[in-house]
Amino acid sequence: MSAHGTVQPMTARRCGPLRGRAEVPGDKSISHRALIFGAMAVGETRITGLLEGQDVLDTARAMRAFGAEVTRHGEGAWSVHGVGVGGFSEPADVIDCGNSGTGVRLIMGCMATTAMTATFTGDASLRKRPMGRVTDPLALFGAQAYGRAGGRLPMTVVGAADPVPVRYATPVASAQVKSAILLAGLNAPGQTVVIEREPTRDHSERMLRGFGAELSVEKTAEGHVITLTGRPELRPQSVAVPRDPSSAAFPVCAALIVEGSDILVPGVSQNLTRNGLYLTLVEMGGQIDFLNPREEGGEPVADLRVRFSGEMVGIEVPPERAPSMIDEYPVLSVVAACATGRTVMRGVRELRVKESDRIDAMARGLEACGVRVEEDEDTLIVHGMGAGGVPGGATCRTHLDHRIAMSFLVLGLAAKAPVSVDDASPIATSFPVFAPLMAGLGADLSQV
Ligand code: S3P
């Protein structure tokens, strides 16, 4: 058994052109936040387009445990009857956040400034991930955390009965850390300030403003200075969740490397804090047209027409771009393997503390498929073998990591010999319809 049910090996085989429309599900980051902010507002928040992946369902369950009423009305249509800032009740049992770092870190933030105790755990992947990056700043508000060695889950957080506001410069570029501090700051008096040197995804800032909080962002020599005024009354909202650019990355990259492909991926976010992969693919020579630019659910989006691009070339990805494409390096390294020349990804050490050590997972799997890679603590370099040139013919380990599983399945669609993954079940955390959606485009995926 994997942490997500039965272990599910899967194989991808080289296939004919991918054609058609790929309607990817709702954005995972925005879905978590819609449930959490909805739970902290007074009254009923309505959500459409919610991602019904396991990560988000675990957050919905957690919000119920803290006293919010969370109801599913139909596919992607949910409501949250919130209890207000500071209105959470103490959960009666351990909060299991499954595979989700975003879920656990944001929820720790939103209970840390209320006088209550909660214990958090997760699956084998989440229990390996560092929580100190969140509990250190939460301690400044007055919260205490007791976990396993190295700040690992299971962990008990004792919320501050008398929280003080915090000014904190994040030592790592992390939207999860930033968001946890802002969520804690909601129930602290006065102004909480987060300073980030490099901007990370800004969904929390956008949504907090939408829910009626007073929040300002200033660009200074120190970086982005985000100031939140505590103890607002959050007003319930209607949230239309846009499609997830991190999920769109998989059909997009597949179409770029599978000969003859021509697909349309509608409604992909062009938010500057999320679009680094798309800039990179275009710089590599990927044929992507950005059609019909518009706003959806408060986010800039476009429809992407993506065509097979046999002449892609490796590039040096600018390290300062990393926060805007942090989840996309695994699938970028697959495209890099199918391009010519070297693709150099520096400044990517954060990949080592994701759902798996993604530098190691990609390096080992690509090597097993006959691709030359180089790595160090902070770098991944992939030596491309040209369109159709990757030998494949291996089974890659996914380490409970949805994006590693999807990346190697994408590679298998263009490699000479089939590529298998040992366990595709984690895909359900973020992209439950991945296999049928890809099959609908013409991909050859089969459960072993
Ligand atoms: C997320 C932030 C990123 C990203 C994760 C989702 C978020 O993590 O990898 O999948 O929703 O805030 P970090 O903030 O740790 O980089």
Side-chain angles (χ1 to χ4, degrees):
M1 291 278 278
S2 82
H4 313 282
T6 313
V7 170
Q8 203 181 86
M10 197 176 270
T11 299
R13 293 184 171 76
R14 186 179 266 191
C15 59
L18 302 177
R19 293 281 163 87
R21 210 177 142 85
E23 298 195 342
V24 304
D27 189 272
K28 182 153 71 72
S29 293
I30 296 176
S31 294
H32 282 293
R33 286 161 173 80
L35 292 168
I36 293 171
F37 293 136
M40 297 179 88
V42 179
E44 188 171 88
T45 286
R46 290 256 165 191
I47 308 168
T48 54
L50 189 86
L51 167 66
E52 294 178 340
Q54 192 54 48
D55 279 9
V56 176
L57 299 178
D58 287 336
T59 288
R61 193 156 39 91
M63 290 300 97
R64 287 190 190 113
F66 281 101
E69 220 174 274
V70 184
T71 312
R72 182 177 191 266
H73 301 279
E75 200 187 318
W78 290 63
S79 65
V80 184
H81 206 98
V83 292
V85 169
F88 277 1
S89 41
E90 189 171 83
D93 204 345
V94 173
I95 303 292
D96 186 346
C97 289
N99 191 247
S100 181
T102 306
V104 73
R105 292 183 175 128
L106 268 57
I107 296 167
M108 281 181 176
C110 66
M111 59 70 60
T113 46
T114 304
M116 64 170 60
T117 298
T119 300
F120 296 90
T121 193
D123 71 4
S125 153
L126 192 57
R127 279 184 274 118
K128 284 188 199 149
R129 298 179 66 185
M131 296 298 139
R133 55 178 54 201
V134 167
T135 54
D136 288 351
L138 295 182
L140 304 176
F141 286 97
Q144 291 165 295
Y146 306 91
R148 289 193 304 128
R152 304 300 204 263
L153 301 177
M155 180 173 273
T156 295
V157 179
V158 181
D162 208 0
V164 291
V166 158
R167 183 181 174 88
Y168 192 76
T170 53
V172 283
S174 167
Q176 293 176 357
V177 173
K178 168 177 66 178
S179 302
I181 298 167
L182 292 173
L183 282 159
L186 281 173
N187 198 34
Q191 294 194 318
T192 285
V193 181
V194 186
I195 302 153
E196 46 177 16
R197 212 188 314 278
E198 299 157 280
T200 61
R201 67 191 67 195
D202 61 357
H203 308 303
S204 294
E205 295 92 306
R206 286 169 183 256
M207 290 176 81
L208 276 169
R209 281 209 190 100
F211 276 81
E214 203 181 306
L215 180 139
S216 67
V217 183
E218 229 186 312
K219 281 185 201 166
T220 71
E222 274 181 296
H224 277 60
V225 179
I226 304 152
T227 304
L228 171 76
T229 302
R231 306 230 160 119
E233 178 164 311
L234 297 185
R235 293 187 300 265
Q237 296 297 301
S238 286
V239 182
V241 180
R243 298 182 196 281
D244 196 324
S246 299
S247 296
F250 297 100
V252 165
C253 289
L256 290 173
I257 63 172
V258 172
E259 202 171 335
S261 298
D262 186 350
I263 66 167
L264 190 78
V265 191
V268 179
S269 175
Q270 300 300 298
N271 180 322
L272 299 179
T273 64
R274 294 290 296 277
N275 73 343
L277 172 75
Y278 298 94
L279 300 177
T280 303
L281 293 172
V282 169
E283 284 172 15
M284 292 173 76
Q287 290 190 65
I288 306 179
D289 299 320
F290 298 83
L291 310 171
N292 192 17
R294 60 196 183 276
E295 252 209 22
E296 267 178 21
E299 295 277 329
V301 302
D303 303 331
L304 306 193
R305 181 179 179 195
V306 188
R307 279 173 277 185
F308 169 63
S309 306
E311 313 281 293
M312 292 180 83
V313 288
I315 63 164
E316 294 241 356
V317 183
E320 62 276 13
R321 197 176 280 169
S324 69
M325 54 182 290
I326 195 66
D327 290 335
E328 283 68 76
Y329 284 99
V331 75
L332 174 65
S333 65
V334 164
V335 175
C338 301
T340 50
R342 285 183 345 151
T343 296
V344 181
M345 296 165 263
R346 294 195 202 281
V348 294
R349 76 174 73 237
E350 270 296 294
L351 297 184
R352 296 205 180 269
V353 290
K354 295 294 180 187
E355 284 83 332
S356 67
D357 175 341
R358 286 179 171 164
I359 295 180
D360 184 68
M362 288 312 298
R364 301 294 80 78
L366 286 170
E367 279 170 353
C369 290
V371 180
R372 192 154 84 81
V373 300
E374 295 169 66
E375 67 174 294
D376 67 27
E377 187 53 28
D378 197 27
T379 310
L380 177 63
I381 299 173
V382 175
H383 294 261
M385 309 193 78
V390 174
T395 297
C396 304
R397 293 186 61 193
T398 60
H399 303 277
L400 288 180
D401 189 328
H402 53 134
R403 299 201 201 279
I404 299 299
M406 289 186 277
S407 297
F408 283 120
L409 290 171
V410 166
L411 180 61
L413 303 178
K416 291 179 181 164
V419 175
S420 300
V421 295
D422 63 344
D423 186 11
S425 68
I427 294 173
T429 61
S430 69
F431 198 163
V433 296
F434 171 77
L437 180 143
M438 295 301 295
L441 299 173
D444 184 347
L445 296 177
S446 54
Q447 286 188 28
V448 183

